[in-house]
Amino acid sequence: MHSRDQTIFALSSGRPPSAIAVVRVSGPQAGLALTTLAGKLPAPRQAGRRLLCDGAGQPIDDAVVLWFPGPGSATGEDIAEFHIHGGRAVLSALLAAISSIPNTRAAEPGEFTRRALENGKLDLTEAEGLDDLIHADTDRQRRQALRQLQGLLGDRARDWRERIIEASALIEAGIDFSDEGDVPAELRAPAVKAIKALHDEIAKVVAAQGHSERLREGLVVAIAGEPNVGKSTLINQLARREVAIVSPHAGTTRDVIEVQLDLDGYPVTVIDTAGIRETNDPVEQEGVRRARARAEDADLVLWLVEAEQAVDPEAMRPLRKSGGGDRPAGSVWIVRNKIDLGEAGSSGPTGEFAISARRGDGIPALIDALVKFASEFFGSSEGAVVTRARQRDLLSRASDSLRRSLELVEEGEELAAEELRAAAYALGRLLGRVDVEDVLGAIFQKFCIGK
């Protein structure tokens, strides 16, 4: 990693050309960069119009500049912002002028956010929420990411960690300072009560069912079946544009085609796979292999057959398995395509769908069913606290350590205290803040020890 003493800069808006481009500079040389290029600093957090000039005095652009002195800035450091016209030549000249300032370099990916984390402007869960917000494709993803950015999990984790430290202070005070008159003799009972309450709260969050973590990646739906049953036509119909080549010739799709859809705010990736059949063509064999692999890993499979065609259980057998086990009931749907006009929009036996991918008949009913499946799959994400596997793993570790501390407290306070330290460490990792002085600080402050 580069030294944090260096000043970093980067384009923080979209790629040129654009109407306006925003270049941010963060670090100890940000003020010098602003005065060198703009002549003087504007008032803090107030926009000022300046003629930007390079080191040789040559004009670069008529721009708007802003000054955010640290620590009251997004990164906690001095920040300068240049709002310039978004042409490539203007941007190139500005970046060259900034890079000529000593101890200044181009930023690495995510480095502004990392500095904000290191300077206490946000915790790791909020940084993850910011990343999710930037990459959100649907409204539900946006709302979930914004809740994390606003501290949905981070605030609770900080509260849990503080309460663990307080309980640990009680336990450790009983170990190390039992002969001090200022320390209450009975510390174990309130500590156990606090630990049990903490364990129950965290365990409830960990045990909450749902696929809130998956909302970030989205639901994967595979369209599979034998060749020339209309898979590509169906994916084009769902995407409302031609994303796959449609032809009457078997074996047209040789690879896996993916389309990202927004179904009522749920992110859904629909994959169109090569027709599954026996073939001697090595290229088509590879396409069939990839098709099976993707379909087997999908959350939902739409097995497409022609209207009057009998379903071959043997061909579908691999799709009944997922990750080495049986798929949940209802995760493989039979979709009968090319129905007669008189049957359009009706459903087949036992919940099968009947459609005409070419005409669009039955497609609205299929989409409604997909939305319902997505809703049930993701569960109620509005109150979701955990949105990443990393978060769930660390919360599970904290919960397990709290449980073990309750089991060990009768055997020895030292063992219970060690488990409490492990729980606090797990939450510290969750937040991106792990230190070793918290427990001693709590003990000295609350029990007047250290005289």
Side-chain angles (χ1 to χ4, degrees):
M1 289 296 297
H2 293 282
S3 171
R4 287 175 55 194
D5 294 333
Q6 292 182 312
T7 297
I8 58 175
F9 64 89
L11 172 67
S12 296
S13 55
R15 293 180 179 179
S18 59
I20 298 293
V22 179
V23 174
R24 300 173 72 199
V25 183
S26 179
Q29 299 291 82
L32 176 61
L34 197 52
T35 55
T36 299
L37 274 67
K40 63 178 181 178
L41 296 176
R45 288 169 291 280
Q46 292 185 20
R49 183 179 176 183
R50 298 286 191 276
L51 177 64
L52 305 182
C53 297
D54 62 19
Q58 294 299 314
I60 297 174
D61 190 24
D62 186 0
V64 172
V65 298
L66 293 101
W67 169 240
F68 302 94
S73 69
T75 62
E77 305 173 331
D78 290 346
I79 287 183
E81 282 191 5
F82 299 86
H83 295 234
I84 60 174
H85 293 93
R88 291 187 178 88
V90 176
L91 177 61
S92 178
L94 176 62
L95 296 180
I98 295 174
S99 64
S100 68
I101 296 172
N103 209 31
T104 302
R105 62 172 175 81
E108 296 177 348
E111 195 169 3
F112 284 93
T113 302
R114 175 158 185 168
R115 290 195 176 192
L117 172 69
E118 292 171 343
N119 292 325
K121 291 299 179 178
L122 75 173
D123 63 47
L124 194 52
T125 67
E126 292 165 344
E128 289 171 332
L130 177 59
D131 179 58
D132 291 343
L133 188 62
I134 291 171
H135 294 96
D137 291 321
T138 73
D139 192 57
R140 293 181 190 273
Q141 288 178 316
R142 177 191 62 79
R143 293 203 301 266
Q144 176 173 280
L146 187 59
R147 288 194 299 271
Q148 286 291 41
L149 179 57
Q150 293 173 335
L152 175 68
L153 175 58
D155 290 346
R156 295 186 68 175
R158 274 186 290 274
D159 175 65
W160 289 331
R161 189 163 184 260
E162 289 171 4
R163 289 159 60 190
I164 289 173
I165 291 170
E166 290 173 359
S168 185
L170 292 173
I171 295 291
E172 296 202 16
I175 298 171
D176 298 329
F177 305 103
S178 57
D179 58 339
E180 294 285 340
D182 292 334
V183 180
E186 280 296 329
L187 298 175
R188 181 183 296 176
V192 168
K193 182 179 179 180
I195 295 168
K196 188 177 186 308
L198 280 162
H199 172 265
D200 291 346
E201 288 181 32
I202 298 176
K204 183 178 180 181
V205 170
V206 173
Q209 295 300 311
H211 294 69
S212 54
E213 296 104 310
R214 286 294 311 278
L215 186 61
R216 295 173 50 248
E217 289 84 14
L219 178 73
V220 178
V221 177
I223 302 176
E226 296 180 3
N228 203 29
V229 292
K231 297 184 298 297
S232 297
T233 306
L234 176 56
I235 199 172
N236 286 339
Q237 186 70 242
L238 293 174
R240 300 184 185 278
R241 65 185 189 277
E242 290 193 3
V243 295
I245 300 172
V246 179
S247 86
H249 303 294
T252 300
T253 303
R254 297 296 183 99
D255 208 337
V256 176
I257 297 173
E258 298 190 2
V259 176
Q260 311 296 325
L261 301 181
D262 179 348
L263 295 184
D264 194 31
Y266 295 109
V268 177
T269 299
V270 180
I271 58 178
D272 173 22
T273 60
I276 297 175
R277 67 170 182 173
E278 296 298 326
T279 176
N280 294 322
D281 184 342
V283 177
E284 191 174 352
Q285 285 177 345
E286 176 62 17
V288 170
R289 186 195 66 79
R290 295 185 185 185
R292 284 194 183 277
R294 285 307 306 269
E296 289 172 15
D297 291 338
D299 303 304
L300 174 66
V301 177
L302 305 183
W303 184 262
L304 214 60
V305 296
E306 294 189 2
E308 303 301 326
Q309 180 183 353
V311 177
D312 183 0
E314 187 61 24
M316 291 180 59
R317 183 177 55 81
L319 304 182
R320 299 291 186 184
K321 302 288 184 180
S322 178
D326 291 335
R327 282 184 176 276
S331 60
V332 179
W333 294 356
I334 305 299
V335 180
R336 295 187 176 277
N337 190 23
K338 305 181 182 179
I339 58 174
D340 294 335
L341 184 60
E343 301 175 279
S346 64
S347 292
T350 63
E352 296 179 1
F353 294 88
I355 67 166
S356 172
R358 182 179 62 83
R359 292 172 56 91
D361 301 324
I363 297 298
L366 179 61
I367 291 176
D368 288 344
L370 288 173
V371 171
K372 183 179 179 182
F373 183 91
S375 175
E376 294 172 353
F377 180 86
F378 290 118
S380 177
S381 61
E382 292 299 323
V385 176
V386 178
T387 59
R388 291 182 179 229
R390 182 194 77 88
Q391 298 168 359
R392 186 174 295 279
D393 176 63
L394 289 171
L395 287 178
S396 296
R397 295 186 191 185
S399 176
D400 291 343
S401 293
L402 291 171
R403 175 183 51 77
R404 287 192 294 268
S405 72
L406 290 171
E407 296 170 352
L408 294 170
V409 71
E410 297 296 334
E411 300 178 18
E413 292 172 331
E414 293 88 350
L415 296 174
E418 182 61 30
E419 292 295 341
L420 290 178
R421 281 192 287 270
Y425 180 77
L427 294 179
R429 289 183 61 195
L430 177 69
L431 295 166
R433 289 166 174 69
V434 176
D435 48 46
V436 295
E437 298 297 323
D438 290 359
V439 173
L440 286 179
I443 292 174
F444 282 93
Q445 180 179 1
K446 290 186 178 296
F447 299 103
C448 303
I449 299 169
K451 52 187 184 227

